[in-house]
């Protein structure tokens, strides 16, 4: 355990950032509250007396350096990551500490790999993008499902969400991504990201119990198309989203998440079904749980704990499946977040 060490949380006052701060404290870490809005940081500090408050804009390298001073690691929860990821990674490299973020933005994650892979590797640094429900969990499940396979023909990640009430940050990230794509959609096929204007199909995905078959939007592409191919030899990665969730996240009038328990979680439930196929053979891994934003916190904090205690497989920019023992990580996550998972 890395308990007692200090972790700077950039964007600590955001919806996911609050879950991360709370989970860090539960695990015995000492969060440092950082971000762009000093007033919101001070308000959060009233809920967590004794924690340091360090405002810093992403356009102010000196302030970022002060925000990370003395920290053992940093987790970036502040979107849009097209704006925040690179400056905070740069600050982490200057400070010589690990960087983890919870970005779901496909292009921002691809940028992190492209921009920092060589420099981070040379320095022996650890930079982990998309250590979250989207990107991180699917990558861990796919890696666990692959097992001893060194290659597969295709990977499918199907998200069975009971619904999706997006945060303000999710809406803003989606807007930025749409602008970067010029309104086009994206898929991962033939070993690369492909941009297109095709209509997205609706089909039925055979989710296992307790969900069962459900309508999904095909090629509702998420960050898994960056994380999986970063280390798995899989030329095609497709992701799917239950129609209820797809309608919720794109609907202009969908409300923000509403807490229904003492931990601040919403009533949303999920089942993530990952299928990898190779030469007519198929392997599967399934995870079920509650609240996609809340489960991101134990994903990110477990990653930090493993990095800080040396339980990693590589250095540089790496996704969850490349950096950690996927099955062992998922077992630990199940204990920390009441997430159930299994391979089939």
């Amino acid at each position: 355990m890395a308990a007692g060490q200090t972790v700077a949380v950039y964007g600590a006052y955001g919806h996911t950032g609050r879950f991360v701060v709370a989970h860090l404290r539960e695990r015995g870490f000492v969060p440092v509250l950082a971000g762009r809005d000093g007033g919101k940081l001070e308000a959060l500090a009233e809920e967590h007396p004794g924690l340091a408050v360090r405002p810093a804009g992403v356009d102010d390298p000196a302030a970022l350096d002060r925000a990370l001073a003395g920290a053992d690691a940093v987790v970036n929860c502040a979107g849009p990551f097209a704006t925040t990821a690179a400056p905070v990674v740069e600050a982490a490299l200057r400070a010589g500490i690990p960087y983890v973020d919870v970005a779901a933005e496909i292009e921002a994650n691809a940028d992190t790999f492209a921009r920092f892979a060589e420099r981070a590797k040379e320095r022996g640094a650890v930079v982990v993008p998309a250590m979250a429900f989207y990107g991180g969990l699917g990558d861990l499940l796919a890696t666990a499902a692959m097992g001893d396979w060194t290659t597969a023909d295709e990977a499918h990640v199907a998200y069975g969400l009971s619904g999706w009430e997006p945060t303000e940050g999710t809406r803003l990230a989606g807007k930025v991504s749409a602008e970067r794509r010029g309104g086009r959609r994206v898929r991962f096929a033939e070993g690369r990201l492909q941009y297109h204007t095709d209509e997205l199909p609706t089909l039925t995905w055979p989710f296992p119990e307790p969900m069962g078959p459900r309508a999904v939007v095909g090629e509702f592409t998420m960050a898994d198309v960056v994380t999986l191919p970063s280390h798995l030899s899989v030329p095609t990665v497709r992701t799917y989203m239950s129609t209820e969730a797809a309608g919720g996240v794109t609907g202009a009038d969908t409300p923000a998440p509403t807490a229904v328990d003492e931990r601040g979680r919403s009533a949303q439930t999920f089942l993530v079904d990952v299928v990898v196929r190779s030469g007519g053979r198929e392997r599967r891994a399934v995870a079920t749980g509650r609240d996609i934003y809340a489960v991101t916190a134990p994903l990110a904090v477990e990653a930090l704990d493993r990095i800080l205690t040396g339980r990693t497989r590589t250095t540089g920019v790496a996704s969850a499946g490349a950096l950690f023992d996927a099955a062992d990580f998922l077992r630990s996550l199940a204990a920390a977040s009441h997430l159930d998972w299994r391979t089939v």
Side-chain angles (χ1 to χ4, degrees):
M1 294 286 291
Q5 293 187 284
T6 300
V7 176
V9 182
Y10 194 77
Y13 48 77
H15 188 79
T16 301
R18 287 173 171 270
F19 280 122
V20 170
V21 169
H23 198 68
L24 282 167
R25 299 196 75 178
E26 288 176 11
R27 292 284 296 267
F29 291 92
V30 180
V32 170
L33 309 180
R36 291 164 287 192
D37 190 316
K40 291 181 179 179
L41 290 173
E42 293 290 351
L44 179 61
E46 292 181 5
E47 302 174 24
H48 298 278
L51 296 187
V53 171
R54 298 178 184 176
V58 291
D59 57 351
D60 188 341
L64 284 173
D65 289 346
R66 290 192 294 271
L68 272 54
D72 296 292
V74 58
V75 55
N76 182 7
C77 302
F81 293 89
T83 300
T84 68
V88 183
V89 173
E90 292 281 10
L93 291 175
R94 291 193 299 270
I97 60 175
Y99 168 95
V100 170
D101 73 32
V102 298
E105 296 163 41
I106 293 168
E107 289 79 14
N109 289 318
D111 288 348
T112 298
F113 277 99
R115 181 169 178 176
F116 295 105
E118 185 175 344
R119 186 149 42 115
K121 192 73 173 179
E122 288 175 351
R123 298 188 183 190
V126 176
V127 174
V128 190
M131 194 64 241
F133 179 79
Y134 295 117
L137 180 57
D139 185 34
L140 289 165
L141 290 168
T143 305
M146 288 277 288
D148 59 355
W149 287 1
T150 58
T151 185
D153 300 325
E154 57 193 33
H156 301 263
V157 184
Y159 290 101
L161 275 57
S162 61
W164 189 353
E165 297 178 333
T167 64
E168 181 182 349
T170 294
R171 289 193 182 279
L172 181 57
K175 181 176 183 292
V176 170
S177 291
E179 290 172 350
R180 291 189 69 175
R181 298 173 195 164
R184 297 173 297 168
R185 300 182 175 93
V186 61
R187 61 167 68 102
F188 186 87
E190 300 175 335
R192 61 186 177 87
L193 292 176
Q194 299 178 357
Y195 290 86
H196 65 92
T197 57
D198 302 342
E199 289 298 317
L200 300 184
T202 299
L203 58 144
T204 299
W205 183 265
F207 288 103
E209 294 301 330
M211 179 166 287
R214 181 165 297 203
V216 297
V217 177
E219 294 194 356
F220 197 98
T221 306
M222 304 304 292
D224 312 278
V225 299
V226 176
T227 55
L228 270 67
S230 73
H231 69 104
L232 297 177
S233 180
V234 183
T236 299
V237 179
R238 292 192 174 96
T239 62
Y240 310 81
M241 184 66 64
S242 58
T243 54
E244 299 95 330
V249 75
T250 58
D253 299 325
T254 307
T258 302
V260 298
D261 67 13
E262 71 284 353
R263 300 177 68 86
R265 296 182 304 174
S266 72
Q268 178 198 52
T269 58
F270 63 80
L271 187 153
V272 184
D273 186 22
V274 177
V275 177
V276 292
R277 298 183 177 128
S278 178
R281 298 174 295 167
E282 180 176 291
R283 289 179 174 177
R284 192 174 207 163
V286 180
T288 58
R290 180 173 161 190
D291 195 325
I292 64 173
Y293 297 108
V295 82
T296 288
L299 276 160
V301 175
E302 180 65 22
L304 288 166
D305 187 85
R306 288 173 180 253
I307 293 166
L308 292 171
T309 54
R311 293 176 288 159
T312 54
R313 292 178 161 178
T314 188
T315 58
V317 181
S319 68
L323 193 60
F324 308 114
D325 179 326
D328 185 64
F329 191 109
L330 288 164
R331 284 191 291 270
S332 296
L333 187 66
S337 65
H338 306 292
L339 178 141
D340 294 321
W341 78 282
R342 64 188 188 276
T343 55
V344 180

